[in-house]
Amino acid sequence: MSKTITIDGKAIPFTEGQTIMEAATAADVYIPHLCHHPGYTPHGSCKLCNVRVNGRICSACTFPAAEGQDIQNHSEELNADRRRITQMLFVEGNHLCPGCEKTGNCQLQAVAYHLNMLDNHFPHFYAKRNMDASHPDVLIDHNRCIFCTLCVRASREKDGKDVFAISGRGINKHLIVNAESGLLKDTDLEATDQAATICPTGAILIKRTGYTVPIGERVYDHREIDAVSLEEERGEHG
Amino acid sequence: MRQFIQRLAAKHDFRPTHLLEMLRAVQARYHHIPADAAELLAEVLRIPRTRIIDATEFYSFFSTDPKGRYELLISDSITDHMLGKQELMAYLAGKLGVAVGEVRSDGVVSLDNTSCTGMCDQGPAGLVNGYALTRLDRSRIDQIAELINGEISLEEWPAEFFQVEDNIRRPGLLLDSPIAPGEALKAALARGFKETLIEIDKSGLRGRGGAGFKTAMKWRFCAEEPQTERYVVCNADEGEPGTFKDRVLLNSFADQVFEGMTLCAAIIGAKQGFLYLRGEYLHLYDKLQAILAERRAAGLLGAGILGGAVDFDIEIRLGAGAYICGEESALIESLEGKSGIPRNRPPYPVTSGYLGRPTVVNNVETFFAASAIAVHGGDWFAASGTEKSQGSKILSISGDCARPGIYEYPFGTTVRTILDDCGASDVLGVQVGGPSGTFISDQEFDRKLAFEDLATGGSFIVFNGNRDILAIAHNFTHFFAHESCGFCTPCRVGTSLLRNQLDKITGGHGSAGDVVALEEICRLIKTNSHCGLGQTAANPVLTTLERYPELYQSRLKKISFEPGFDLDGALETARRMANRNDAAAHLQQTAAEHE
Ligand SMILES: Cc1cc2nc3c(=O)[nH]c(=O)nc-3n(C[C@H](O)[C@H](O)[C@H](O)COP(=O)(O)O)c2cc1C
Ligand code: SF4
Ligand code: SF4
Ligand code: FES
Ligand code: FES
């Protein structure tokens, strides 16, 4: 007999070793997330997936599912906090969505829609962040990085390269690349690498592919992230 | 440089786990981590250069920009402030001709702030090239400036500048009866290691580092892990402002602390231990190494301890200025030569710690107490204290009191008794357990030191009636924003938002909704953060807001909306460009104008 956890009152089966996120996704239950992607070592940094497990807040993407867990996911309280956490990401960087190439395809933006985020709530930091347009095919706009480390993990775990890393402490965190010059052009990143396409925001973009799909016809222009995410990730969690 | 790096790496057997020690050596020699050095290190250690850049940028004591040949850092802890730090800092900057945060143009000296140095009982304090300077005053600063300007080497500076006192004011159960080297191990061997663990269990000893987890249980869990390569780690990071008891234990009772680690190793079956010593305690390093050497010579460390019963040795590892490295999983990351980012749990360190192996991490005082328990038995310890908090607790007391220093009390002692003993009068409140703990007001002095009431890692900072509560919360809030590792969103962004929001209020720019906004940020950080730092970072604001809401309210302006910046000031550039300075070109932002 398979074991079960309960999410928002619904019994969900899981297998030993699965995280709450994995069990939920397989059972068609969406838990908002940004730093998680199926098939990647869980990171647990964005905290959007925070759920209440038997009363305690835990990150669904890292916390193992276990028999007897009574989990709250879509409560008013949790979604309100997720909205605030998303707003924190928006004010920390410089996200000018209408002028961003990723708009409509951006998971950060889509999660914000999903959580009914109508403003940024917090005062902006207006951090001074640069662009790295040195690479012939790939662009980094540091203004939009949320330190999810998906590019870091993709490069290490999927591409076998180690192009990216997150450096620095606290609010001074920033993305760095593995080149003596510090520039993307001097790394061995290729546009076909997983690391170049995994970014959930518009921080890493492939050059010369902009606007091939017009704004208005993009993924999240028509569909909510919960549906898209479940459709894409359910299978991948296996 | 190539030769230097090559030799340095060879000295550490080219082990990337020792990256921090190597970076410390590079920083000491070049007063920064030159890009070339980082490249060379990456090459010889065969690790990505990004790991070296990350570590350099993560730890406060490393820098990519050159610092002075004399790197002066002055402690920014609230206790230093109370002892006149700010005025002294300005004096020092003037004397040396260097601005805070800068390097003097001749490259001789740089001056900056640093988080608490653990000298709260003898501040204002600082560090010069990593070595602790205590009891700074104007005359001492005059002399220091002269020595620096004369480029006199540190060895020739007067020894009293570096004198660190123990200040043990009230010894109790443990401090009154230290054990002789080997005594605990012999007792444990005679009784049996399993039986000794039972004694420790009986003693009721709970971790002295703050969280209060039962020590015997932690050791048993680790011993029962199937993986047999196990480690013992002594957490001597002691970064909590106001805490310095571990410094004193290591200065005067290191033998007993090492003995406690060895005892743990014998019980859980570990061969290797680490003392993770905070970088600020560099002055203890040589002395501790010498004690380890003595213990090896006496057959109390190394192969075949106690006639072959145990093989165990201890290595000392220095931190590099990061409060978060006191968090046990961040500490383990740091031991592995990485930046101190707390791991996801589970797994806990007892299952998967150093290099993924079962690891016991305990506070200095925990090991200190455990060895005494091995000698005197569990009942001896449990006879002191309360029903749920057995034994005694060693406290670091600083702030507004006549006799700052180290005090040991049985659990259950009231705050009032402690305040009387340390000579505190006209007390406004006490910060118990450091910034991450609780601020208690003068209405609460009958509360008791105990896990069931006032749990504490051991710090009491006393504030008298002349102190400004908001200035205290301000100092602590800035501390947390500076020390957040930045891994998770609520803490990374939240602590900065909290700092800015509190600054807005203390700066007199707050209006009606701003305290509510402040509370909301507090709650968000507390409930959603990844580790203990974020979960407690809002405590200074929350505990003072709860007790003194009117103080926060009194700082607010009476208008309904107040921007977080100076509206009129923001127009300055526009006025200059338009060549205007008439009244109409100015915006008013005062309460009177709006009412
Ligand atoms: C931000 C943070 C800093 C900490 N600093 C220390 C420290 O300096 N010393 C310490 O012993 N424990 C510290 N702790 C607690 C440790 O994580 C851990 O609980 C402790 O070392 C366990 O030892 P114990 O069981 O003997 O208390 C800290 C925890 C957090 C969250
Ligand atoms: S660049 Fe993108 S993928 Fe990489 S850490 Fe930043 S937000 Fe995440
Ligand atoms: S709570 Fe703060 S210190 Fe802890 S992991 Fe998160 S960012 Fe780092
Ligand atoms: S998705 Fe779980 S913390 Fe980011
Ligand atoms: S659309 Fe702006 S960052 Fe994604």
Side-chain angles (χ1 to χ4, degrees):
Chain A
M1 237 197 72
S2 86
K3 303 178 174 182
T4 56
I5 52 177
T6 311
I7 302 186
D8 293 333
K10 192 175 139 196
I12 306 273
F14 75 95
T15 49
E16 206 56 50
Q18 267 186 327
T19 60
I20 292 175
M21 178 75 79
E22 285 166 341
T25 312
D28 224 7
V29 171
Y30 173 70
I31 302 175
H33 57 273
L34 281 171
C35 71
H36 164 78
H37 195 86
Y40 288 74
T41 310
H43 196 238
S45 63
C46 75
K47 298 302 172 198
L48 232 66
C49 70
N50 275 357
V51 291
R52 226 171 241 292
V53 182
N54 301 336
R56 264 185 56 212
I57 297 278
C58 302
S59 311
C61 67
T62 62
F63 209 75
E67 192 70 57
Q69 284 172 344
D70 183 16
I71 299 162
Q72 240 181 52
N73 174 32
H74 271 298
S75 71
E76 193 48 50
E77 170 217 353
L78 285 168
N79 279 331
D81 278 13
R82 289 170 181 153
R83 192 180 315 129
R84 289 284 180 259
I85 293 169
T86 310
Q87 285 163 323
M88 286 186 184
L89 290 171
F90 271 88
V91 303
E92 177 189 32
N94 301 296
H95 296 269
L96 304 165
C97 289
C100 173
E101 204 300 297
K102 190 80 172 237
T103 195
N105 285 334
C106 171
Q107 289 178 31
L108 175 65
Q109 189 188 46
V111 161
Y113 287 149
H114 178 76
L115 295 168
N116 195 28
M117 178 184 133
L118 301 174
D119 63 13
N120 287 344
H121 184 72
F122 298 114
H124 277 264
F125 286 20
Y126 297 113
K128 189 178 170 341
R129 296 194 190 171
N130 295 329
M131 292 248 267
D132 179 350
S134 63
H135 192 282
D137 303 317
V138 184
L139 174 90
I140 306 179
D141 185 345
H142 289 280
N143 287 298
R144 299 187 281 244
C145 178
I146 58 168
F147 318 115
C148 69
T149 74
L150 277 170
C151 58
V152 180
R153 284 173 279 164
S155 188
R156 189 169 303 153
E157 297 169 14
K158 307 284 165 177
D159 307 329
K161 287 189 180 175
D162 231 327
V163 171
F164 297 101
I166 302 287
S167 180
R169 185 164 94 198
I171 201 69
N172 299 316
K173 272 210 164 347
H174 57 127
L175 182 73
I176 56 172
V177 299
N178 191 0
E180 200 173 339
S181 65
L183 292 173
L184 194 60
K185 72 173 167 66
D186 296 319
T187 67
D188 48 1
L189 182 80
E190 289 165 83
T192 50
D193 288 354
Q194 301 266 343
T197 51
I198 191 81
C199 184
T201 77
I204 301 181
L205 295 172
I206 309 289
K207 289 183 177 175
R208 292 176 300 279
T209 60
Y211 305 103
T212 42
V213 178
I215 294 171
E217 293 174 24
R218 297 178 170 199
V219 186
Y220 306 111
D221 289 337
H222 300 287
R223 304 182 62 203
E224 285 254 346
I225 191 168
D226 52 348
V228 176
S229 161
L230 286 172
E231 187 178 294
E232 287 178 357
E233 297 175 3
R234 200 169 33 219
E236 290 188 58
H237 272 315
Chain B
M1 181 184 291
R2 178 170 282 278
Q3 229 184 16
F4 174 75
I5 298 286
Q6 184 69 34
R7 260 196 235 127
L8 181 64
K11 192 178 131 198
H12 290 282
D13 294 330
F14 301 94
R15 281 181 293 184
T17 47
H18 286 58
L19 181 62
L20 253 65
E21 333 289 308
M22 294 182 235
L23 289 177
R24 287 189 65 101
V26 174
Q27 178 80 30
R29 160 123 189 203
Y30 299 101
H31 299 291
H32 72 303
I33 311 292
D36 290 353
E39 286 299 323
L40 287 165
L41 269 175
E43 187 188 312
V44 297
L45 299 179
R46 297 166 194 275
I47 55 176
R49 58 166 73 69
T50 46
R51 248 189 79 182
I52 295 167
I53 298 169
D54 177 27
T56 305
E57 294 185 338
F58 188 89
Y59 293 97
S60 291
F61 293 168
F62 302 145
S63 62
T64 44
D65 299 326
K67 299 281 165 187
R69 291 199 285 285
Y70 294 86
E71 288 183 56
L72 263 180
L73 294 170
I74 306 297
S75 178
D76 206 28
S77 162
I78 189 77
T79 52
D80 298 282
H81 280 244
M82 292 158 76
L83 293 161
K85 180 250 166 158
Q86 269 152 314
E87 182 262 341
L88 277 177
M89 186 77 159
Y91 183 72
L92 178 59
K95 269 274 158 189
L96 289 169
V98 62
V100 178
E102 303 280 324
V103 185
R104 202 164 75 188
S105 54
D106 61 4
V108 170
V109 59
S110 56
L111 178 64
D112 213 337
N113 288 304
T114 186
S115 296
C116 180
T117 55
M119 301 291 158
C120 316
D121 56 336
Q122 45 205 300
L127 299 167
V128 59
N129 294 349
Y131 289 95
L133 292 166
T134 52
R135 288 176 297 273
L136 294 171
D137 56 19
R138 280 188 177 235
S139 90
R140 205 160 262 198
I141 281 174
D142 288 340
Q143 294 176 65
I144 289 174
E146 220 166 279
L147 290 163
I148 289 177
N149 288 332
E151 300 197 37
I152 308 294
S153 84
L154 288 188
E155 287 88 67
E156 290 168 54
W157 287 27
E160 73 254 29
F161 289 9
F162 302 102
Q163 190 71 35
V164 179
E165 302 291 344
D166 275 356
N167 292 327
I168 298 176
R169 312 286 186 182
R170 188 191 187 279
L173 189 65
L174 296 170
L175 292 173
D176 260 339
S177 47
I179 63 160
E183 208 181 337
L185 291 174
K186 278 180 209 131
L189 188 68
R191 189 192 288 115
F193 294 138
K194 276 210 177 70
E195 290 72 19
T196 302
L197 184 59
I198 293 171
E199 286 301 313
I200 292 176
D201 198 7
K202 232 199 274 172
S203 76
L205 177 64
R206 292 164 67 165
R208 298 312 197 219
F213 195 80
K214 273 199 95 173
T215 305
M217 214 191 294
K218 192 185 272 190
W219 292 12
R220 181 168 301 124
F221 284 160
C222 191
E224 285 169 358
E225 280 296 318
Q227 167 62 254
T228 54
E229 189 181 326
R230 307 189 184 106
Y231 293 94
V232 177
V233 176
C234 177
N235 187 344
D237 197 52
E238 196 166 69
E240 191 78 32
T243 315
F244 48 86
K245 64 173 180 76
D246 295 343
R247 180 198 86 211
V248 174
L249 290 179
L250 289 171
N251 187 48
S252 297
F253 304 93
D255 246 310
Q256 187 169 336
V257 175
F258 290 143
E259 184 123 345
M261 291 174 70
T262 314
L263 180 72
C264 173
I267 290 174
I268 68 164
K271 297 211 163 15
Q272 178 67 50
F274 298 99
L275 175 74
Y276 187 88
L277 184 65
R278 70 187 305 227
E280 288 82 346
Y281 294 168
L282 177 63
H283 68 281
L284 290 173
Y285 185 79
D286 290 341
K287 183 172 181 176
L288 292 172
Q289 288 289 15
I291 293 170
L292 288 179
E294 276 170 32
R295 290 184 70 84
R296 282 182 203 112
L300 297 172
L301 273 183
I305 304 170
L306 296 174
V310 179
D311 296 330
F312 180 69
D313 212 328
I314 297 173
E315 195 184 325
I316 305 177
R317 295 289 201 80
L318 278 161
Y323 166 70
I324 186 63
C325 289
E327 196 281 340
E328 56 185 8
S329 67
L331 184 153
I332 290 169
E333 287 281 302
S334 186
L335 272 182
E336 292 180 0
K338 303 182 220 151
S339 57
I341 294 185
R343 294 176 176 174
N344 285 302
R345 273 149 300 178
Y348 290 88
V350 283
T351 319
S352 176
Y354 182 66
L355 303 178
R357 308 280 195 262
T359 304
V360 162
V361 181
N362 274 132
N363 177 254
V364 175
E365 186 184 339
T366 311
F367 287 120
F368 178 69
S371 45
I373 293 165
V375 173
H376 303 296
D379 291 335
W380 166 78
F381 193 73
S384 279
T386 70
E387 195 194 333
K388 284 191 188 126
S389 311
Q390 285 90 344
S392 64
K393 182 77 193 89
I394 301 175
L395 299 180
S396 323
I397 302 186
S398 60
D400 294 315
C401 63
R403 291 173 296 280
I406 299 299
Y407 293 73
E408 183 183 3
Y409 288 98
F411 275 115
T413 306
T414 63
V415 174
R416 195 178 304 284
T417 307
I418 298 168
L419 290 176
D420 286 345
D421 287 354
C422 71
S425 51
D426 174 33
V427 181
L428 172 73
V430 184
Q431 185 74 34
V432 179
S436 72
T438 314
F439 187 96
I440 61 164
S441 79
D442 54 359
Q443 303 302 304
E444 303 168 72
F445 293 164
D446 290 323
R447 292 183 65 179
K448 292 182 171 70
L449 181 70
F451 287 103
E452 56 269 38
D453 185 6
L454 275 176
T456 167
S459 139
F460 266 52
I461 308 177
V462 185
F463 298 99
N464 70 23
N466 298 321
R467 304 294 175 184
D468 174 2
I469 303 272
L470 283 187
I472 299 164
H474 179 270
N475 176 274
F476 291 163
T477 303
H478 277 247
F479 168 78
F480 285 120
H482 183 259
E483 296 296 333
S484 164
C485 83
F487 169 77
C488 71
T489 317
C491 175
R492 181 183 69 245
V493 187
T495 54
S496 284
L497 285 171
L498 183 62
R499 177 197 59 202
N500 295 350
Q501 185 67 12
L502 187 64
D503 284 358
K504 183 180 178 186
I505 294 169
T506 55
H509 289 290
S511 61
D514 278 317
V515 174
V516 179
L518 186 76
E519 277 184 292
E520 185 195 36
I521 301 169
C522 287
R523 196 194 53 74
L524 283 165
I525 305 174
K526 196 180 180 74
T527 41
N528 289 292
S529 289
H530 177 70
C531 81
L533 188 149
Q535 287 154 13
T536 57
N539 283 358
V541 172
L542 284 171
T543 59
T544 53
L545 195 56
E546 187 188 328
R547 288 166 178 82
Y548 307 94
E550 69 289 348
L551 272 183
Y552 282 81
Q553 295 297 336
S554 71
R555 297 283 178 108
L556 302 180
K557 293 198 172 177
K558 286 177 191 59
I559 51 171
S560 60
F561 168 77
E562 179 73 24
F565 62 99
D566 176 2
L567 275 177
D568 187 54
L571 286 177
E572 184 51 37
T573 320
R575 272 193 298 270
R576 235 185 305 118
M577 288 168 67
N579 225 343
R580 278 180 60 178
N581 202 12
D582 53 296
H586 283 273
L587 272 178
Q588 294 296 332
Q589 187 172 329
T590 58
E593 281 289 318
H594 287 262
E595 269 168 354

